[in-house]
Amino acid sequence: MMLFITIFLLSFALCCLGGVFYYEQKSLITDVYSHVAFPGVVLAYVLFNSLDLYLVLFVTTTFVLLIDLIKNKLLRITKFTTDSIFAFFIAFGFSLGTLLINILQNHGVSTKAGFSDFLFGNISALSSNDSVLIISISSFILCLLYLYRRVIKNYLFDQILFSQLGFNVYFTQRILSVCTVVLCVLSLKVAGVVLTTGLFLIPFATANLFYNKIKHLFVFALLLISLVTFASIFISLNFSGLSTGPILIVLYFVVYLLSELFKFLRFKNIYG
């Protein structure tokens, strides 16, 4: 039950923030954060000789936010598109993490450090303390998003008008970035570096196929996440050797494809 609640709350919080960046047309930002978090995990181990999730969260979040400041500065002065800069940082993050592990491996460290739990995800490695941390932070972020839902809606609608109404655009962006980075770091233990983006985007994208109203969209996403989370845990518990993280993403993607097909066939039947 604890595992279900952990994955469910984390997935729903990721989905809600994924929707914000989807409307901002910055869907790749989650991929940037998760890949840049990878060397942050290695750095946490170098500094504290431990991969305790509390320490990893503090060090990696700080590291990613510093890189995020560099990214934002680069976006203001470069001639390249946002997607190009995102791709640069994705490649940089994964390469730096791999390089640091290679250096540690030469000293006989990486084989016993457990970096693969963060690289590929390993839900079975979650301790009760890890689950409590993930549940607490996910719940806090969900409450924060709910309380300030109208502010976020105005921010997404028109940032110029949002500023004219007296709100601070930069502060809002920083809060959203911090929440996203924290969830990215926590999700590494569940889905790993590569698969984290799927948790952010696929449930929201699937719900968005059927509903435009935010309230209905997130109710649908809530039900979808509940069903897929339950099915993923059931499959991983009954078939040894199958990780819950990859099962989650595969099931989400299958549901998304079926939803696209259903919508296409329905449109074809109605309009010929």
Side-chain angles (χ1 to χ4, degrees):
M1 189 62 182
M2 176 71 81
L3 183 59
F4 174 83
I5 295 173
T6 302
I7 299 175
F8 169 75
L9 287 175
L10 177 63
S11 298
F12 189 55
L14 290 168
C15 175
C16 292
L17 278 171
V20 172
F21 287 106
Y22 172 86
Y23 285 123
E24 272 200 290
Q25 298 182 339
K26 294 180 179 178
S27 297
L28 276 178
I29 190 64
T30 56
D31 216 15
V32 174
Y33 289 155
S34 60
H35 280 76
V36 172
F38 180 39
V41 173
V42 184
L43 182 62
Y45 182 81
V46 171
L47 292 175
F48 297 101
N49 196 32
S50 171
L51 285 179
D52 178 77
L53 190 57
Y54 288 82
L55 292 174
V56 169
L57 179 63
F58 172 74
V59 175
T60 307
T61 299
T62 303
F63 177 77
V64 175
L65 289 175
L66 288 174
I67 298 297
D68 193 47
L69 291 175
I70 298 173
K71 172 186 67 63
N72 291 335
K73 180 66 176 178
L74 192 58
L75 284 171
R76 287 194 290 268
I77 64 175
T78 187
K79 65 177 182 179
F80 292 105
T81 63
T82 300
D83 285 348
S84 297
I85 298 300
F86 284 179
F88 296 163
F89 277 89
I90 289 171
F92 163 76
F94 195 79
S95 299
L96 179 60
T98 304
L99 182 62
L100 289 174
I101 286 181
N102 288 338
I103 293 173
L104 292 177
Q105 195 171 25
N106 290 335
H107 294 82
V109 175
S110 68
T111 53
K112 60 183 179 182
F115 295 118
S116 61
D117 291 346
F118 292 89
L119 182 58
F120 303 108
N122 185 5
I123 294 176
S124 62
L126 284 176
S127 66
S128 57
N129 288 335
D130 293 342
S131 294
V132 169
L133 177 64
I134 293 173
I135 290 171
S136 301
I137 293 179
S138 299
S139 300
F140 173 77
I141 290 176
L142 283 170
C143 291
L144 191 67
L145 292 174
Y146 179 77
L147 291 173
Y148 292 95
R149 63 191 184 280
R150 290 188 176 86
V151 175
I152 296 171
K153 188 176 180 180
N154 290 331
Y155 164 77
L156 293 174
F157 178 72
D158 189 333
Q159 292 187 13
I160 296 176
L161 178 62
F162 184 75
S163 179
Q164 291 174 347
L165 290 172
F167 294 103
N168 191 316
V169 174
Y170 179 78
F171 178 76
T172 304
Q173 290 174 337
R174 289 297 88 207
I175 292 296
L176 291 172
S177 294
V178 170
C179 290
T180 306
V181 169
V182 169
L183 288 178
C184 269
V185 175
L186 294 176
S187 64
L188 294 182
K189 208 68 179 290
V190 175
V193 171
V194 179
L195 300 180
T196 294
T197 302
L199 295 178
F200 267 95
L201 300 177
I202 302 177
F204 180 85
T206 304
N208 197 43
L209 290 174
F210 298 101
Y211 297 101
N212 292 320
K213 290 186 177 180
I214 297 296
K215 181 179 179 180
H216 297 158
L217 191 154
F218 281 111
V219 168
F220 181 88
L222 193 68
L223 294 173
L224 174 63
I225 291 169
S226 300
L227 292 172
V228 171
T229 300
F230 177 81
S232 300
I233 293 174
F234 177 82
I235 293 171
S236 64
L237 289 177
N238 287 276
F239 295 91
S240 60
L242 296 181
S243 301
T244 308
I247 296 173
L248 270 172
I249 304 303
V250 170
L251 289 180
Y252 278 134
F253 189 69
V254 169
V255 172
Y256 168 75
L257 286 179
L258 292 175
S259 300
E260 284 279 18
L261 181 61
F262 172 78
K263 189 174 182 181
F264 171 76
L265 293 175
R266 185 182 178 188
F267 180 85
K268 187 176 181 181
N269 289 334
I270 294 175
Y271 298 101

